[in-house]
Amino acid sequence: MTNKFETLITNSLQLVVQSLKNADVVALPTETVYGLAADATKDLAVQSIYRVKGRPSSNPLIVHVSTIESALKWGSFSVKGLKIAEEVWLDSSFSGAVTLVVPLKENTENELSPYVLAGQKSIALRLPRHPLFKEVLSSIDFPLAAPSANRSNYVSPTCAEHVKWDLDGLIPYILDGGKSQYGLESTIIDIQTDIPSILRLGSSSYEYLQSRFSDLILSKYENSKAVPGLSRKHYSPKAKIHLNILPENKRNFYVGFGSMPCDLNLSLDGSLEEAACNLYHVLRQIDRDKINIVDFAPIPHDGLGRAINDRLKRAAST
Ligand code: TXA
Ligand code: MG
């Protein structure tokens, strides 16, 4: 017998909102992955996020807000940056999710917990579209700091059960929002200079974003220092991963893409959207089933395939 408490998967917004007001850490669904959220203005609340995740204190957190007005309170946006923000955060036809990195607004240092920024002079801001996350934000009067709700360097969670496997007994509540719509984290775009550049690939693809912002550049994301917390080895299951294995060369447990004989398939139809949505479920399933070595079929390197390949490369890194 242990007297460790059990983390509750709940549908109760009230419980979750009360916890956040008490400076607790809770897991919330977003349209990308589940987040580990706490009051971004309270030191103790933000420090708890780092402790629960086992995250190095040098790795800054994304601040989640509900309106452009609150984003403007924390971040300093150029005229062009503001237009980008309105498009990625408010346009109902926009596909995928984007986090924007902007210079920190002056004189906000005292209001935001310094642990959120981990020494950066910029701030990463996101306006989630998930209805439950939006409801939580509309019930509180502070912004939410939230990294992905996994233990540091492990695979991000895309359903409430994933969070429970990782963090049971470490947080009081997980708000259940079912399976995440996109299944990949937000795309992070740096808009501190006049030319926007992608720092992390994610659920809004480069090709799609470039069709909207023609001067967007992609080059920086391959620099390991572009995003403080993104190491070469990340999103890592326990299993050893082999990439780009054709069906005729498979020798281990085989994860396919498109119609082919395999043990698990990211998308039978060869849909990159579906593969993105299933990727973390598959990586976690492999560990749950204690499979030691896994061969992955090649994934086309365009659209969301770039982000999927980026995650698989990090998952395969030793
Ligand atoms: O979809 C997502 O983005 C999820 C949901 C919960 O919002 N969040 C997420 O957070 O993926 P996290 O902490 O797992 O990844 C955020 C990344 C980290 O690698 C961090 O280093 C980077 O964003 N980051 C945070 N602030 C930054 C800044 N000011 N400049 C550059 N990168 C920053
Ligand atoms: Mg993460």
Side-chain angles (χ1 to χ4, degrees):
M1 278 289 281
T2 106
N3 55 8
K4 191 174 104 162
F5 72 90
E6 194 183 329
T7 297
L8 189 68
I9 297 180
T10 179
N11 291 311
S12 167
L13 277 164
Q14 223 187 340
L15 279 179
V16 162
V17 165
Q18 194 51 51
S19 272
L20 289 167
K21 288 181 179 168
N22 294 343
D24 271 343
V25 181
V26 297
L28 301 178
T30 85
E31 65 276 30
T32 57
V33 301
Y34 277 66
L36 189 60
D39 182 343
T41 66
K42 288 207 180 77
D43 288 351
L44 278 177
V46 178
Q47 281 174 309
S48 300
I49 295 179
Y50 285 88
R51 192 186 62 245
V52 167
K53 249 188 99 85
R55 181 179 180 108
S57 57
S58 55
N59 190 359
L61 305 175
I62 297 174
V63 175
H64 299 70
V65 291
S66 56
T67 61
I68 293 266
E69 290 68 37
S70 25
L72 289 172
K73 173 167 183 198
W74 307 107
S76 175
F77 288 75
S78 64
V79 173
K80 180 174 172 181
L82 189 55
K83 273 188 143 168
I84 294 178
E86 284 169 344
E87 196 159 336
V88 299
W89 288 340
L90 301 183
D91 181 344
S92 58
S93 72
F94 188 82
S95 164
V98 170
T99 292
L100 295 173
V101 173
V102 293
L104 182 68
K105 190 101 170 244
E106 275 176 42
N107 303 324
T108 49
E109 298 92 329
N110 297 335
E111 287 182 67
L112 205 64
S113 165
Y115 297 101
V116 171
L117 303 173
Q120 302 287 318
K121 296 208 163 42
S122 58
I123 180 167
L125 288 161
R126 177 174 171 209
L127 227 96
R129 291 171 188 254
H130 193 290
L132 290 177
F133 203 107
K134 282 169 66 170
E135 268 197 73
V136 171
L137 281 174
S138 69
S139 312
I140 54 183
D141 59 3
F142 46 84
L144 290 174
S148 51
N150 50 285
R151 293 280 295 167
S152 199
N153 283 344
Y154 193 58
V155 181
S156 295
T158 47
C159 63
E161 289 73 24
H162 290 172
V163 181
K164 182 146 167 132
W165 293 340
D166 288 5
L167 305 179
D168 197 17
L170 297 175
I171 55 174
Y173 302 115
I174 302 165
L175 184 62
D176 196 355
K179 188 172 174 180
S180 306
Q181 181 191 355
Y182 296 122
L184 279 181
E185 299 80 0
S186 58
T187 302
I188 302 182
I189 305 181
D190 183 353
I191 53 168
Q192 294 181 87
T193 58
D194 197 43
I195 308 287
S197 75
I198 292 183
L199 300 182
R200 176 179 75 179
L201 289 166
S203 59
S204 203
S205 77
Y206 170 60
E207 283 83 353
Y208 177 72
L209 288 164
Q210 220 207 12
S211 73
R212 294 195 164 226
F213 314 112
S214 56
D215 56 353
L216 178 73
I217 54 173
L218 179 62
S219 55
K220 277 193 198 160
Y221 93 93
E222 280 174 312
N223 172 349
S224 61
K225 298 221 169 63
V227 167
L230 203 53
S231 51
R232 193 168 57 89
K233 180 175 161 64
H234 208 100
Y235 312 105
S236 298
K238 296 189 184 72
K240 184 167 171 34
I241 308 279
H242 297 153
L243 301 180
N244 296 316
I245 309 290
L246 291 168
E248 56 272 31
N249 297 331
K250 69 179 181 328
R251 296 184 54 190
N252 299 293
F253 187 94
Y254 192 57
V255 179
F257 175 78
S259 175
M260 57 177 69
C262 58
D263 300 297
L264 271 179
N265 204 315
L266 284 173
S267 167
L268 203 56
D269 300 337
S271 150
L272 289 168
E273 284 73 21
E274 190 183 14
C277 193
N278 287 333
L279 179 66
Y280 294 155
H281 287 271
V282 166
L283 289 174
R284 281 171 174 269
Q285 191 60 46
I286 287 165
D287 277 354
R288 297 281 287 181
D289 292 347
K290 300 199 166 39
I291 296 160
N292 294 324
I293 311 179
V294 182
D295 294 343
F296 270 81
I299 311 291
H301 201 64
D302 55 29
L304 287 177
R306 282 179 202 269
I308 296 172
N309 283 322
D310 169 74
R311 301 305 191 265
L312 282 175
K313 207 166 117 190
R314 293 179 205 274
S317 187
T318 48

